[in-house]
Amino acid sequence: MYNYSWFWLIPGVEHGEFLEAIHEHLPAWAVVHAETASAHAVPAAWAVVLICCLFAFVARAGLNSARAKGGIEQYVPAAGFSPRNMMEILLGAIWNFAAETLNSRDVATRYFPVFAAVFIYVLISNLMGLVPGFLPPTGSVSTNFAVALVVFLVFNWAGFKEAGFGYVKHMAGPVWWLAFFIFPVELFSMLIRPLTLAVRLYINMFADHLLLGVSTEMIAYVLPAAFVGLGSFVSFVQAFVFMLLTVVYVTLSVGDGDHH
Amino acid sequence: MKSKYLSVALAMVALFLVSNPAFAADGFETGAGIGLGAGIGMGLAALGCGMGQGRAAASALEGIARNPQAAGKIQTPMLIGLVFMETLVLFTFGFGFLMLGNLG
């Protein structure tokens, strides 16, 4: 009974009828496949986005109130445990990591919203699966592939913006007469990146949820407690890995500053 | 590794592989091969991943031991390396799980 989601209480979610109702209003070319088995992931993803936005607003309100006071209050971290503090620590850590990996603070600042959004969204989605009765929205390849497509667009955009046509030339390899062999390989490895990002996250979350379900069947409340600890560790690691790979792909596209 | 047991082992493996038609004669379900394949594949993937990740972690730890101040800079490429190996194992697990629907 590990396959239960509170979102099934909303009418039309359990068997994906609401997806088919949406698909009726779309043109035929826009509908790829109605994956109704994991239709629960769509309202769950919306709920995660709502939580992220609420957290962001509360943190920003804390910062605004500190700025309104003026003086030393706005530059010094808040006293105690507050959403503004948590957000500042988290975003500062992500920015430092991105600036170090990219070797350039401007590029890190330019693409920082994507890195932070990806990390926070994937983290909260993963952790939602550990709450009893919820299925994580990252436990469905479709929602993961949506995030991976955004990452794909971002690192391609970064490549074309920073290097122009040199981005395509970079994929052709070092010498021109090897480009015939190297270019398809590089193109394929670039196209497979969103797929591996999505599938890696999906399988990690699916295996963890399966583990929670099986351990619940064995010893009801004791054994899953250990696996919730493992699950939260895996959630953090997978969210970090997703963001790490985003930063690394942008680094590889931008070219480490050695193509000038 | 020229031992007298090597030829015996190879003969056993050959017998196992060749005797498949004999099994099929009395209703041996070919779906069982999928179960065996998924299990052995997962074991091999775990073996390769364990060896590879062990080497990556070992060289990262050695680098940190030589230069403790660079621990943060060494940790990031180590994680990148570990992730790529782990992905392959997860693909094997997912593929085996997908194939388990076709048992029997």
Side-chain angles (χ1 to χ4, degrees), chain A residues 97 196 199-200 203-204 206-207 210 240-241 244-245 248, chain B residues 72-73 76 79-80 83-84 86-87 90-91 93-94 97:
Chain A
F97 171 73
T196 55
V199 173
R200 176 187 302 120
I203 291 191
N204 266 300
F206 170 70
L210 184 63
F240 177 68
V241 159
L244 170 102
L245 281 174
V248 163
Chain B
K73 281 185 174 289
T76 305
L79 274 174
I80 297 175
V83 155
F84 284 124
E86 182 121 1
T87 315
L90 285 174
F91 284 171
F93 170 71
F97 214 82

Side-chain angles (χ1 to χ4, degrees), chain A residues 94-95 98-100 102 104-113 115:
Chain A
I94 297 177
W95 188 86
E100 235 183 67
L102 281 164
S104 144
R105 308 170 89 177
D106 306 320
V107 182
T109 312
R110 209 174 305 157
Y111 298 104
F112 172 70
F115 305 148

Side-chain angles (χ1 to χ4, degrees), chain A:
Chain A
M1 194 49 187
Y2 68 94
N3 230 355
Y4 182 78
S5 173
W6 292 116
F7 290 101
W8 285 356
L9 295 173
I10 305 175
V13 172
E14 183 166 352
H15 302 289
E17 287 119 12
F18 85 102
L19 274 186
E20 290 173 3
I22 294 176
H23 286 164
E24 279 171 14
H25 298 281
L26 290 177
W29 54 266
V31 178
V32 177
H33 173 64
E35 189 188 340
T36 51
S38 54
H40 65 88
V42 178
W46 291 337
V48 169
V49 168
L50 203 65
I51 295 175
C52 294
C53 288
L54 278 176
F55 190 52
F57 282 136
V58 170
R60 185 68 194 192
L63 181 63
N64 281 341
S65 75
R67 277 193 179 165
K69 290 194 196 136
I72 200 75
E73 271 285 326
Q74 44 180 333
Y75 301 118
V76 160
F81 196 63
S82 69
R84 173 187 160 212
N85 247 351
M86 287 200 281
M87 223 31 170
E88 280 185 356
I89 295 175
L90 183 65
L91 296 181
I94 297 177
W95 188 86
N96 274 330
F97 171 73
E100 235 183 67
T101 312
L102 281 164
N103 261 336
S104 144
R105 308 170 89 177
D106 306 320
V107 182
T109 312
R110 209 174 305 157
Y111 298 104
F112 172 70
V114 177
F115 305 148
V118 158
F119 179 76
I120 295 179
Y121 170 79
V122 174
L123 180 68
I124 298 189
S125 300
N126 289 348
L127 288 179
M128 206 172 96
L130 296 174
V131 178
F134 281 105
L135 280 176
T138 39
S140 134
V141 194
S142 313
T143 38
N144 289 348
F145 195 61
V147 183
L149 267 183
V150 169
V151 169
F152 180 72
L153 290 173
V154 162
F155 77 75
N156 276 326
W157 169 264
F160 279 115
K161 188 162 189 285
E162 308 287 330
F165 188 65
Y167 182 52
V168 182
K169 244 177 26 159
H170 170 68
M171 286 211 297
V175 251
W176 64 270
W177 40 269
L178 276 180
F180 185 67
F181 302 105
I182 292 188
F183 192 75
V185 173
E186 287 263 348
L187 191 68
F188 179 72
S189 81
M190 196 182 76
L191 288 176
I192 204 86
R193 281 173 184 177
L195 196 63
T196 55
L197 280 176
V199 173
R200 176 187 302 120
L201 193 53
Y202 160 66
I203 291 191
N204 266 300
M205 286 303 118
F206 170 70
D208 264 345
H209 213 80
L210 184 63
L211 204 56
L212 273 178
V214 168
S215 63
T216 310
E217 280 176 26
M218 295 206 296
I219 307 178
Y221 295 98
V222 176
L223 202 52
F227 290 117
V228 164
L230 173 72
S232 52
F233 174 68
V234 169
S235 305
F236 273 98
V237 167
Q238 286 307 311
F240 177 68
V241 159
F242 205 104
M243 183 204 58
L244 170 102
L245 281 174
T246 310
V247 173
V248 163
Y249 292 156
V250 170
T251 312
L252 290 175
S253 302
V254 164
D256 290 333
D258 56 358
H259 284 284
H260 294 155

Side-chain angles (χ1 to χ4, degrees), chain B residues 7 10 13 25 30-31 41 47 58 75 77 89-90:
Chain B
S7 47
L10 283 177
V13 169
T30 51
L47 174 78
Q75 228 173 350
V89 172
L90 285 174

Side-chain angles (χ1 to χ4, degrees), chain B residues 3 6 9 12 20 24 31 35-36 51 59 65 76 96:
Chain B
S3 69
L6 184 62
M12 279 172 59
N20 240 345
L36 199 64
M51 289 178 60
S59 47
T76 305

